[in-house]
Amino acid sequence: MTAVALPGRSFLRRRRSVLPGFGLTLGFTLAYLSLIVLLPLAALLLRAGGMGWSGIVGVLDSPRVAHALWLSFGGALAAAAVNAVFGALIAWTFVRYDFPGKRLFQAMVDLPFALPTAVAGIALTSLYAPNGWLGRPLAAIGIEVAYTPLGVVLAMTFVGLPFVVRTLEPVLEEAEAQFEEAAATLGATRWQTITRIIVPSVLPALLTGTALAFARAVGEYGSIIFIAGNLPGVSEIAPLLIMIRLEEFDYAGATVIAAAMLGLSFLVLLAINLLQYWSRRRGA
């Protein structure tokens, strides 16, 4: 509030905001998020809570449900970890090196974004089936991919890779190579340069991409059901089990499983965000 003097009178005039329309845009944002995100989630939790604690425990205590949740979250974490390593290497290669066919490989990384998930599942199944191009030599050495938990992790890795690569690329492009050159001039080894200069600068972005890859993988459905084989207690994922419960008109059971996935996803993402916050504070 600043005082403005005019001939014969004075009054207070509000200082104009740098971003006009903040109140309107904030109200629209909150209303939109409430309608699209908060209300459906609240309805899900209320419907699941209506079963009571004993009913919820009765659904989640089933070995089939427990294994499906374990496979979905364990597979998503494993796929996110694999993408964190190899996605970082791919992003580094794209940013720091020029080579023939670079644009083609960059387009290939974006394929999971544009490719329908069902098409991706069929393609992976054709490749890694026991009689597929890659599945046959792997089966010869005792490694089965299709119709096993390994196939589930493979499909999750496929759909989550672009998130890590595309999140890291802008950060690596902005990272100044002078620091690496200075470290080499001062006698730092390559490993010291990587662990003390490169990794701390890209760690927050790497954790963000890993969280996005995990979130994408844990809810994946279309590309997994073809290669998984959907065997209860072996390769059945939680989203598929929810669909099965809905087809059986067991809406309460489906709601409880969905609420459990929501709660577990929130805890995992919260842990990743806290780790990201810690890494930023440490690097500040």
Side-chain angles (χ1 to χ4, degrees):
M1 307 286 287
T2 57
V4 180
L6 291 178
R9 64 175 180 175
S10 65
F11 60 91
L12 295 178
R13 186 180 67 181
R14 288 184 178 179
R15 180 176 297 173
R16 300 184 64 181
S17 174
V18 177
L19 297 175
F22 172 74
L24 179 62
T25 54
L26 178 62
F28 175 81
T29 300
L30 294 177
Y32 185 82
L33 289 177
S34 298
L35 291 173
I36 301 299
V37 179
L38 297 181
L39 286 179
L41 294 182
L44 174 67
L45 295 177
L46 288 175
R47 179 66 183 271
M51 292 188 63
W53 180 249
S54 59
I56 295 174
V57 173
V59 174
L60 298 181
D61 193 45
S62 168
R64 182 178 181 182
V65 174
H67 185 275
L69 289 172
W70 177 87
L71 180 58
S72 290
F73 284 89
L77 286 173
V82 172
N83 283 328
V85 176
F86 292 98
L89 292 176
I90 293 173
W92 175 269
T93 303
F94 284 163
V95 171
R96 294 302 178 93
Y97 304 102
D98 289 323
F99 51 90
K102 178 179 178 179
R103 294 185 179 275
L104 175 62
F105 286 108
Q106 286 182 327
M108 291 173 60
V109 169
D110 290 330
L111 271 179
F113 284 147
L115 199 65
T117 56
V119 176
I122 295 173
L124 291 174
T125 306
S126 301
L127 284 174
Y128 289 96
N131 59 347
W133 291 351
L134 299 178
R136 183 176 300 167
L138 289 174
I141 59 176
I143 300 177
E144 296 182 2
V145 178
Y147 318 128
T148 66
L150 181 59
V152 174
V153 176
L154 176 66
M156 290 179 172
T157 304
F158 175 80
V159 299
L161 177 63
F163 292 94
V164 177
V165 176
R166 296 313 181 197
T167 304
L168 275 178
E169 277 185 325
V171 179
L172 289 174
E173 289 175 352
E174 294 178 0
E176 298 183 3
Q178 289 87 343
F179 295 116
E180 303 166 24
E181 296 172 357
T185 303
L186 294 174
T189 63
R190 291 183 178 180
W191 179 249
Q192 290 175 329
T193 303
I194 292 174
T195 56
R196 298 185 181 182
I197 296 178
I198 298 176
V199 171
S201 63
V202 303
L203 185 57
L206 178 61
L207 291 175
T208 299
T210 303
L212 293 174
F214 166 80
R216 178 70 176 86
V218 77
E220 178 59 21
Y221 178 79
S223 62
I224 295 179
I225 58 174
F226 292 98
I227 195 172
N230 311 319
L231 301 175
V234 178
S235 58
E236 186 178 52
I237 57 174
L240 175 63
L241 187 56
I242 293 174
M243 292 297 300
I244 293 174
R245 292 288 186 264
L246 291 175
E247 292 175 354
E248 295 173 348
F249 301 102
D250 184 8
Y251 300 116
T255 303
V256 170
I257 299 173
M261 289 194 67
L262 174 63
L264 291 172
S265 299
F266 176 79
L267 292 177
V268 173
L269 293 177
L270 177 62
I272 294 176
N273 284 323
L274 290 176
L275 183 60
Q276 181 184 24
Y277 174 77
W278 172 80
S279 66
R280 285 179 174 174
R281 288 291 300 272
R282 185 181 179 184

